[in-house]
Amino acid sequence: MVRPASSPHTSRLDSPPNGPHDCPGAGDFCQTRRVFGALIRIDSVTKRYPDGTVAVDRLSLEIPDRSITVLVGPSGCGKTTTLRMINRMVEPSEGTILLDGKDITQQPVNTLRRSMGYVIQNAGLFQHRTIVDNIATVPRMLGWGKEKARARARELMERVGLDAALAKRYPYQLSGGQQQRVGVARALAADPPVLLMDEPFSAVDPVVRKGLQEELLRIQDELGKTIVFVTHDIDEAVKIGTMVAVMRTGGKLAQFAPPAELLSHPADAFVEDFLGADRGIRRLSFFPSAGLELLTAPIVAIDSTAEQIAARDTSEAPYLLVTDLEGKPLGWGEPGRLTAGDIRTDQLLPYGRPFVAGTESLRAALDCAVLSPTGWAVAVDAEGRAAGVVSQQTIGEAIRGAHAEGRAPEEAAEATKFTRAAG
């Protein structure tokens, strides 16, 4: 679906619940931050190990404030090393990293780390602590009282979609997806301006991963954190990233661009190969479906009379979409085989997965049409009621029209940002 762009508003969670003095020991970064174009600046940073191995080689990046910057690349490209240098879990050999204009080496490492949320693969939860106490870990380290820290933890459980009944359970009693949600809540507990995420969703199945990605986008839209996210999955990078840094083996930056630009104009053969052969299909995620011309004539209700069925214009669509009494799609039927007052749903062709008109992308619409046995996609409104139908041919014309108008995918994305959640 089309996700509105994150606005630079100030959330009530952009500062600690009761003011900056509730975060003793957290330093300046626990207080409401100034808004910079780039909150994190990585300037000519190199990480060289004693044996001569170069994990990161003269990397320079400006990570935008209140956005999701994704580091992606093959194994050994230095993406996790880069992430860990931001909170000094790994010290750079050369170069500087600035956080809010300040050199990170000029402040105590514990203060720095407490100013950043950190989420890792498999959540990294304390198995001997309850869920609520896992989430309350950092606030307790910062001197918060137990009840206040637990109240904050319960608030965050609700924010990340965890049932309050799980508060007193232990990590081993939760599913993998629930544990990752706990990890995200724990990272947000002290309201840090920066969130570092190291392949947090890679250990869960695709269905759970999709849900976690969408949850992250929702939370980001509400809170507007500066997130640095590491993944090896280019689809994940394109879906959630505001900016994507593609790194090549040896720790060199290959390209740093918004996802739409990355798909449209890969910098070189390495980036093009890493993006894969279907990058053209991925680009469709940045074209909104709002302009599609939907037909409503080929739609009939299950209780339609013979006259109503006969009156439907089937000159363009060879089938009629049958809906229930609430207007929700049931399936496709041939006009001549639909019997008034006795339409049998078991004889209807499946309509496939519908797309939400004006909300999801042209990629979602095309996918629905391809999967439909009739070659037509069904558009629905937010309540799931049929809004119209559209053919593969019409969708193709919309794609060609967008290109003919000179709307590059990145420009369409700027107009309706984050047209990605549907794929």
Side-chain angles (χ1 to χ4, degrees):
M1 70 183 168
V2 178
R3 184 167 64 86
S6 296
S7 61
H9 65 279
T10 299
S11 157
R12 67 188 182 89
L13 290 181
D14 280 335
S15 58
N18 293 307
H21 297 295
D22 288 323
C23 290
D28 294 339
F29 294 104
C30 192
Q31 301 181 33
T32 304
R33 66 187 184 276
R34 304 193 307 277
V35 178
F36 282 78
L39 184 69
I40 302 171
R41 298 179 189 272
I42 300 173
D43 186 12
S44 300
V45 167
T46 294
K47 178 58 186 178
R48 184 180 299 103
Y49 289 99
D51 65 358
T53 301
V54 177
V56 177
D57 190 8
R58 291 174 293 177
L59 177 65
S60 292
L61 282 177
E62 292 194 355
I63 295 174
D65 191 17
R66 300 177 185 270
S67 66
I68 301 177
T69 297
V70 181
L71 308 181
V72 65
S75 297
C77 70
K79 52 189 183 291
T80 293
T81 301
T82 299
L83 186 81
R84 292 178 176 175
M85 285 193 289
I86 293 173
N87 69 355
R88 294 181 61 190
M89 290 181 69
V90 173
E91 296 286 359
S93 306
E94 300 171 11
T96 57
I97 299 176
L98 303 180
L99 175 62
D100 204 14
K102 302 175 183 177
D103 189 335
I104 63 171
T105 63
Q106 301 304 307
Q107 60 181 298
V109 67
N110 287 339
T111 299
L112 176 72
R113 290 176 186 168
R114 289 174 187 173
S115 73
M116 300 181 181
Y118 192 51
V119 187
I120 61 174
Q121 188 179 139
N122 295 317
L125 303 178
F126 298 112
Q127 298 298 313
H128 63 289
R129 292 183 181 175
T130 62
I131 299 309
V132 70
D133 285 337
N134 260 284
I135 297 172
T137 297
V138 176
R140 291 287 289 147
M141 292 173 64
L142 295 175
W144 293 31
K146 181 181 292 187
E147 289 310 310
K148 179 181 173 182
R150 285 179 172 176
R152 170 68 168 160
R154 292 188 181 94
E155 175 190 340
L156 285 166
M157 286 183 67
E158 180 180 357
R159 187 173 290 280
V160 301
L162 286 169
D163 193 312
L166 300 176
K168 294 185 178 181
R169 294 189 185 180
Y170 290 87
Y172 71 88
Q173 297 175 307
L174 272 58
S175 68
Q178 288 173 326
Q179 290 186 38
Q180 286 303 132
R181 290 172 189 264
V182 175
V184 173
R186 183 176 65 180
L188 291 170
D191 193 36
V194 176
L195 193 61
L196 306 180
M197 308 185 76
D198 189 3
E199 301 201 54
F201 308 147
S202 62
V204 296
D205 65 71
V207 174
V208 173
R209 178 184 295 186
K210 179 181 178 183
L212 290 169
Q213 291 167 348
E214 292 174 353
E215 193 74 15
L216 175 65
L217 291 174
R218 181 189 65 78
I219 293 169
Q220 173 64 358
D221 190 52
E222 293 176 1
L223 303 185
K225 300 296 182 182
T226 299
I227 300 176
V228 185
F229 190 106
V230 166
T231 183
H232 63 274
D233 183 350
I234 188 61
D235 284 316
E236 184 168 61
V238 166
K239 178 175 181 177
I240 70 171
T242 310
M243 296 290 291
V244 178
V246 180
M247 300 179 70
R248 63 176 87 243
T249 303
K252 291 182 177 292
L253 180 65
Q255 188 169 359
F256 186 47
E261 180 182 333
L262 190 72
L263 294 169
S264 304
H265 307 294
D268 56 26
F270 168 80
V271 177
E272 186 172 6
D273 183 62
F274 187 77
L275 291 172
D278 59 346
R279 66 184 177 90
I281 297 298
R282 292 195 187 102
R283 290 174 65 191
L284 298 183
S285 297
F286 295 90
F287 289 113
S289 63
L292 280 177
E293 183 179 348
L294 303 177
L295 300 181
T296 56
I299 302 177
V300 295
I302 195 168
D303 63 346
S304 295
T305 65
E307 291 76 15
Q308 288 172 327
I309 294 174
R312 289 299 180 183
D313 181 5
T314 57
S315 59
E316 294 188 75
Y319 296 87
L320 292 177
L321 178 71
V322 179
T323 69
D324 65 15
L325 298 180
E326 295 181 349
K328 297 181 179 180
L330 294 172
W332 294 97
E334 296 180 46
R337 301 183 66 180
L338 296 179
T339 304
D342 188 31
I343 296 177
R344 295 182 55 182
T345 57
D346 61 336
Q347 293 183 351
L348 298 176
L349 292 173
Y351 61 89
R353 185 185 75 82
F355 71 98
V356 182
T359 298
E360 294 189 275
S361 65
L362 284 183
R363 177 176 179 175
L366 181 60
D367 185 64
C368 295
V370 170
L371 292 176
S372 170
T374 66
W376 286 68
V378 176
V380 297
D381 61 19
E383 283 71 43
R385 296 185 294 263
V389 298
V390 61
S391 68
Q392 291 182 29
Q393 180 180 354
T394 299
I395 296 170
E397 290 171 354
I399 295 170
R400 290 191 293 274
H403 285 296
E405 291 171 10
R407 284 196 303 152
E410 56 267 33
E411 293 168 346
E414 199 62 37
T416 55
K417 206 153 189 175
F418 301 113
T419 312
R420 301 201 283 275

